[in-house]
């Protein structure tokens, strides 16, 4: 049962991470979003979504650790970093190409 709830929390955190990255991308249209620094414009709602995403993913991975083992840590890393990096790469590619949204 803990694996089911853990998976729900991890997927919810993954969804929050995607929404966070999309909102950040829309707030910084026309500007490259750096990898290791804060974006020029950081909406408060997107910051709360990012915090919620990290909390949900950590909570879900913690619930699943007993049955999944160390793979929960790998799942945690993937669920936190993949949404932001995918949207950031897509956004920066569009900015470099000069595409306006």
């Amino acid at each position: 049962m803990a694996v089911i709830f853990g998976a729900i929390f991890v997927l919810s955190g993954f969804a929050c991470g995607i929404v966070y990255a999309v909102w950040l991308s829309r707030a910084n249209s026309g500007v490259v979003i750096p990898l290791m620094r804060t974006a020029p414009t950081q909406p408060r709602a997107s910051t709360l979504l990012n915090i919620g995403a990290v909390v949900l993913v950590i909570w879900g991975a913690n619930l699943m650790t007993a049955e999944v083992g160390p793979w929960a840590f790998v799942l945690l890393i993937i669920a936190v970093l993949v949404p932001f990096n995918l949207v950031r790469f897509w956004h920066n590619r569009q900015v470099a190409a000069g595409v306006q949204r």
Side-chain angles (χ1 to χ4, degrees):
M1 193 66 157
V3 173
I4 294 170
F5 284 121
I8 291 170
F9 287 153
V10 168
L11 290 175
S12 299
F14 189 77
C16 285
I18 290 172
V19 173
Y20 155 73
V22 169
W23 281 3
L24 188 69
S25 173
R26 288 184 181 164
N28 291 291
S29 60
V31 179
V32 172
I33 298 174
L35 178 62
M36 301 302 272
R37 293 188 317 260
T38 306
T41 303
Q42 184 91 15
R44 190 175 307 265
S46 70
T47 303
L48 292 175
L49 270 172
N50 191 26
I51 293 169
V54 171
V55 167
L56 283 170
V57 168
I58 290 173
W59 194 4
N62 195 16
L63 284 174
M64 294 188 314
T65 300
E67 295 177 26
V68 178
W71 289 104
F73 180 72
V74 174
L75 182 65
L76 187 143
I77 298 295
I78 290 169
V80 169
L81 294 179
V82 167
F84 173 70
N85 282 323
L86 285 178
V87 173
R88 186 181 63 81
F89 290 143
W90 172 76
H91 171 82
N92 288 345
R93 189 174 301 131
Q94 283 193 334
V95 168
V99 176
Q100 292 293 325
R101 287 178 271 143

